[in-house]
Structures are given as structure tokens and as C-alpha cells.
Amino acid sequence: MKKHTATFFTYMVFIGFAMFCIGNSTIVANNEIDILAMADNLKQDERLTLNKWSVIAREKTLIKSEQDFNKKVSDMSKLFPAFNWKVEQTEHGLKATAVLRHVEKSQQESIQILSALTKNGSASYIIYEVKGEKWDEGSTELISKTFQTRIKDIFHGNPSIFSCISGKMDGTMEKVFSHEVRKLLDLFHAQEVESLKEDRFYSVSAHTPMFRQYLTKENLNLQIALRTDGLSGKTTFVVGTPIIPFEY
């Protein structure tokens, strides 16, 4: 993949993630966990192997001072003592990170409390993420049970949920990217809204009636990216709703 392609898509995803972090006005949330439906749809295509996955929940929280931040961290650490907690001061503000690894299942849970305190006020969020190195029955169990229980304990309202799955496409790329992207869009009954196309890379933002979370301005709730290796011809994919919240 060309360097400027990576740079452009990194920028595009960063903008999407920034929208995710700015405030509740950009995302419409619901209580359904879309990654389960996403995985079921992707498994309809036998060429696809599902590997890494991630579900992120985010909610704005009220932290007006460093004292408020420390109390929030103290309360959360008591609620989740099995997590490994770390507090640090970053250039953007205060940050607490808690991690619980399930090594035998190649899964991880993490909690972040972020607070940027300024003279004009504060912007504070709690983020909870579960992720895994492979998609299997253990993934479904973690999401259906543990994830659902955690978000009830961590959040006070309806957090915004971001779901993402990546994997490989069997065989080499014999047809143009647009054909392969169209097949993935069809799995979700989705319509393309905008895209970025290059020789070995294709990303598309779309709308599907299957998912109810969306970016309110563009009405986008599905992102798909394909990338092929120039030497092996192998193709990898990433599917996210409402956006892909990390660099690909």
C-alpha cells in the first residue's frame, strides 16, 4: 500500500475517531451489540476468515476537577479490582487505564477514564473495550455476557457502541476491488456513500438499515476497507460500524 494511501486513510479514520471522542451529538446509540450480527453476515461468505475484533463503548462523564477524576478512578478500581490500573498525566489531560487480559482465550478488556481540564471547562469520557485475536464461540460469550454486564456497571446511560472485525479473504485477488467491495456491501444490504480507491487499497463508507447507530450528519453507519499484498496477492478486510475506529 502506498505511503500516501496509508496517510490519507489514517487521517480519515482519525477524523472519524475524533468525532467519536468529541461528544454525544455525533452518534446515535442503541442497546444492541452490532458485532454479533456483523459476524453472522460475514460468515455467509465462505471465502472470509474472521480474525481480530473489537467492541468499544463510550460515554461522556462529568469530571470538573482533578479531585473528581481521582474519585472516579478510585470508585472504578474498587468496582473492578481484577483489572491492572495505571494513572498518568498526558499532554491532553488526565488518563486512567485499566487492563484485564484473558491470555488463554487471546482476549482483553480495558477501561479508560479520560479528562481534559481547561479554564473553559472539561471534556471527560469513560471508554470500555473488549477485543480478541480471533473470532470464535468464546468471542460471542464474552460479548453476550461479560460485555453486557460490564456496560451496565460502568455507564449510567446508553453508551455509543463501535464494533469492528478484520480478517482475510481466501485466495488471491482475481477481480477488481470494486467487485469485492460490492459483494461485502450486499451482505449488509448497504449503499455506498463515499469511497477512496487505489490499486491495492479500497475503503468505502456506506449506509445500511441493519445497524441503527450512525453518524448523524452523513447518515453513515458502515465502513469497509480492503487491502491486498502486492507480493502474495492476499487480501485483508476490515468492517466497522458506525466507523472503523483505528488506523488500518
Side-chain angles (χ1 to χ4, degrees), residues 198-226:
E198 295 207 359
D199 291 341
R200 298 176 183 174
F201 180 79
Y202 194 132
S203 72
V204 58
S205 297
H207 173 76
T208 171
M210 293 186 62
F211 304 135
R212 292 191 297 169
Q213 280 197 136
Y214 54 88
L215 299 178
T216 57
K217 183 178 180 180
E218 300 88 351
N219 205 31
L220 303 177
N221 61 354
L222 180 69
Q223 280 192 332
I224 297 173
L226 292 179

Side-chain angles (χ1 to χ4, degrees), residues 107-228:
Q107 298 172 348
Q108 177 177 297
E109 300 176 68
S110 64
I111 302 170
Q112 289 189 72
I113 304 173
L114 308 173
S115 183
L117 304 175
T118 67
K119 294 181 179 179
N120 298 322
S122 65
S124 304
Y125 294 88
I126 298 180
I127 301 171
Y128 170 60
E129 180 184 17
V130 291
K131 62 182 181 180
E133 295 295 316
K134 58 182 179 180
W135 183 267
D136 53 21
E137 292 183 1
S139 306
T140 302
E141 182 178 3
L142 180 63
I143 295 166
S144 300
K145 296 180 180 180
T146 303
F147 182 82
Q148 295 280 29
T149 300
R150 299 277 201 229
I151 60 175
K152 292 177 182 178
D153 293 335
I154 295 173
F155 303 105
H156 297 295
N158 289 327
S160 301
I161 307 292
F162 296 77
S163 304
C164 188
I165 297 179
S166 65
K168 297 180 180 180
M169 186 176 295
D170 289 346
T172 57
M173 182 60 69
E174 298 176 353
K175 300 181 180 180
V176 295
F177 267 136
S178 58
H179 175 80
E180 301 298 337
V181 168
R182 183 67 259 170
K183 293 181 71 172
L184 289 174
L185 288 172
D186 287 344
L187 289 176
F188 297 95
H189 308 289
Q191 294 297 318
E192 177 181 326
V193 177
E194 57 188 25
S195 63
L196 169 67
K197 309 173 185 179
E198 295 207 359
D199 291 341
R200 298 176 183 174
F201 180 79
Y202 194 132
S203 72
V204 58
S205 297
H207 173 76
T208 171
M210 293 186 62
F211 304 135
R212 292 191 297 169
Q213 280 197 136
Y214 54 88
L215 299 178
T216 57
K217 183 178 180 180
E218 300 88 351
N219 205 31
L220 303 177
N221 61 354
L222 180 69
Q223 280 192 332
I224 297 173
L226 292 179
R227 178 166 57 88
T228 186

